[in-house]
Amino acid sequence: MKKIIISTFAISALLFATSCEDDFDTDVKDIVVTKGEADFSKYVALGNSLTSGYRDGALYIDGQNESYPSMIAGQMKLVGGGEFKQPLMADNNGGLILNTLAGPTQIANTKLYINAFVDGAPELKNANNNTATTVVNTVLTGPFNNMGIPGAKVAHLLAPGYGNVQGIPTKTANPYFVRFASSPTTSVIADFKAQHPTFFSLWIGNNDALLYALAGGDASAETLTPPAQFTQYYNALINEIASTNAKGVIANIPSVTNIPSLTTVPYNPLTAAALGGGNVNAGNATIDNLNANLYVPLNQILTALGAGDRIQPLSKTAANPLLIKDESLTPLNAQITAAALASGNPTLIALAPYLGATYGQARQAKAGDLVPLTTKAEIGSLEPVPPGVPASLGARGVAYPFADKYVLTATEAAEVNTAIDAYNVTIKAAANAKGYAFVDMNKKMVELNSQSGISWDGVKYSAKFVTGGAFSLDGVHLTGRGYAIVANEFIKSINETYKSNLPQVNPNNYSGIKFP
């Protein structure tokens, strides 16, 4: 029995009484599946990690076999679609090893899994004791239909030598593309064109903004692609694709505020219970100590300097915000040092140079500041402090301000989303100009991130970390079920544009989070 899942957008007017938006499974066994105006005989997918099937912080076989392009290709086979070949990893652990003259070096971690739940939160570990077996230097025989390259930005798909193993140390090459590039000098787009595709999908540009966001807006670690530069590269890429005369579908980019990697950890996780390791009394004692020796004196100094809103004493009854460094603030290093020296307090006088150097641009986090999932493990970890400074003052995010890379401030988040909005204008314009099918993935992720989420055959999905079912354990990439939701958005757009009627897939048939 062939089935097609009907979009919420087509029937939402009939469902106003339902508690969440539903995509219903409707029997269409009497409908003959047709390709319409498209030719699916040679389908090639271009993109980044989301296209490759990456999930749980790694690329591994089961994830690749549940990539959204492989799902789409399976439906295309019903109307003459050909083989869909993927550059499979060596196993289901993921991770990469690079062989060098100095010996093998692991350059990517294995996949995450839930080892247990501790105080209701998942304890994550890496599979196979974080020992990888897939060797980058072992080049696979292609060509491959799934050309999703984890970590790739738009410009990378155009870059010659992006598959040259010698360029991995200098980051001019990508180890995942090294595994299946046709030659060390080729580019992703050149290998794409050499396959003479009849149909393509393109979902690229996420990393042009996301990597910067996940790095806390730290430009020394990752850069945010300027919109003008994005437009230049994206249009160049589209022109290369258009030269093949293939028909296809392209998708835009979700906002960073709709993914659990940046929305799960609150800006104010410092409760008495958390600070006491589950012991409220111990946490209250910690708060008393921090207030007496740091927060209250700093608040008094900053208040005298007209900046008392930066740091307030900690509360025993409310959730307290993280302490962060905000490089947009006017530095008050010298003023804090001078105030501490003039305080008459022996402790403050002894710490005066340290206080000025450490807290000159410090503030407590606010609503709108986004804390990456990777920062959670760093809360309370110790920063080395100078001799004579109590070790407790080195507790990151608690007494020592988190560096820029640990938190994406509200201002930085707005900067990223403004860039994404501009990227999406470019992507939509390219789709319109070339007549390609267009997928508004940003809109779909907003829907998924809504309080009600979406529902398929009675199973609810949302962007909530772990329990939402759509996102994997890294909070960025999707589960098999999440990728099925994406595949259906592509299929709907393909059908609408090319007058085909490819059946959609049932997300409930794919894998989600595995619980211990």
Side-chain angles (χ1 to χ4, degrees), residues 268-441:
N268 57 344
L270 304 181
T271 62
L275 290 171
N279 185 321
V280 173
N281 290 332
N284 284 336
T286 297
I287 289 173
D288 285 338
N289 180 61
L290 287 170
N291 278 340
N293 295 299
L294 182 66
Y295 277 87
V296 169
L298 268 180
N299 174 256
Q300 292 171 343
I301 290 173
L302 290 169
T303 298
L305 296 173
D309 60 333
R310 291 189 184 185
I311 296 176
Q312 296 290 321
L314 299 178
S315 169
K316 293 181 180 180
T317 58
N320 297 289
L322 293 170
L323 192 62
I324 68 173
K325 180 179 180 179
D326 185 343
E327 295 176 343
S328 71
L329 294 178
T330 301
L332 296 176
N333 303 41
Q335 294 92 324
I336 291 174
T337 297
L341 289 172
S343 68
N345 183 320
T347 300
L348 293 182
I349 292 172
L351 293 175
Y354 175 79
L355 293 175
T358 305
Y359 302 98
Q361 289 179 299
R363 69 168 172 87
Q364 287 166 315
K366 304 174 183 177
D369 294 333
L370 303 179
V371 184
L373 272 174
T374 50
T375 295
K376 182 179 180 181
E378 298 296 327
I379 298 174
S381 62
L382 293 179
E383 179 83 12
V385 293
V389 176
S392 61
L393 293 187
R396 294 189 184 101
V398 179
Y400 188 91
F402 262 140
D404 185 34
K405 65 180 180 179
Y406 290 105
V407 178
L408 187 72
T409 67
T411 300
E412 292 167 337
E415 175 193 18
V416 173
N417 280 334
T418 297
I420 289 174
D421 288 343
Y423 298 170
N424 285 343
V425 169
T426 293
I427 294 170
K428 186 63 166 66
N432 291 342
K434 302 297 184 183
Y436 297 140
F438 172 74
V439 181
D440 193 346
M441 200 56 66

Side-chain angles (χ1 to χ4, degrees), residues 79-330:
V79 287
E83 177 188 18
F84 191 80
K85 190 174 180 181
Q86 304 190 94
L88 297 178
M89 298 287 284
D91 52 37
N92 271 319
N93 293 319
L96 291 174
I97 294 174
L98 177 65
N99 285 333
T100 67
L101 292 176
T105 302
Q106 184 161 323
I107 59 173
N109 293 333
T110 59
K111 71 176 181 181
L112 298 168
Y113 71 96
I114 299 177
N115 180 62
F117 281 87
V118 180
D119 296 327
E123 178 190 60
L124 303 182
K125 290 191 174 182
N126 291 92
N128 201 34
N129 293 317
N130 200 23
T131 301
T133 60
T134 300
V135 179
V136 173
N137 312 67
T138 302
V139 179
L140 306 177
T141 301
F144 294 95
N145 303 74
N146 191 331
M147 300 189 69
I149 317 293
K153 298 182 178 182
V154 173
H156 292 145
L157 302 191
L158 297 161
Y162 197 52
N164 186 342
V165 68
Q166 301 300 323
I168 292 177
T170 57
K171 297 184 178 181
T172 58
N174 184 299
Y176 293 98
F177 186 48
V178 166
R179 296 185 64 242
F180 68 94
S182 64
S183 75
T185 58
T186 193
S187 64
V188 177
I189 192 61
D191 278 5
F192 167 84
K193 291 171 64 176
Q195 296 191 60
H196 305 291
T198 63
F199 199 89
F200 75 92
S201 64
L202 175 68
W203 192 14
I204 192 70
N206 308 67
N207 289 329
D208 288 81
L210 180 62
L211 296 181
Y212 175 77
L214 294 177
D218 183 358
S220 67
E222 293 288 350
T223 57
L224 178 67
T225 302
Q229 189 179 84
F230 181 94
T231 297
Q232 176 187 354
Y233 288 136
Y234 197 89
N235 287 340
L237 180 65
I238 288 293
N239 288 336
E240 290 286 339
I241 292 172
S243 70
T244 67
N245 294 317
K247 294 181 178 179
V249 55
I250 63 180
N252 68 5
I253 304 165
S255 161
V256 295
T257 52
N258 288 321
I259 55 175
S261 61
L262 286 166
T263 59
T264 299
V265 180
Y267 75 93
N268 57 344
L270 304 181
T271 62
L275 290 171
N279 185 321
V280 173
N281 290 332
N284 284 336
T286 297
I287 289 173
D288 285 338
N289 180 61
L290 287 170
N291 278 340
N293 295 299
L294 182 66
Y295 277 87
V296 169
L298 268 180
N299 174 256
Q300 292 171 343
I301 290 173
L302 290 169
T303 298
L305 296 173
D309 60 333
R310 291 189 184 185
I311 296 176
Q312 296 290 321
L314 299 178
S315 169
K316 293 181 180 180
T317 58
N320 297 289
L322 293 170
L323 192 62
I324 68 173
K325 180 179 180 179
D326 185 343
E327 295 176 343
S328 71
L329 294 178
T330 301

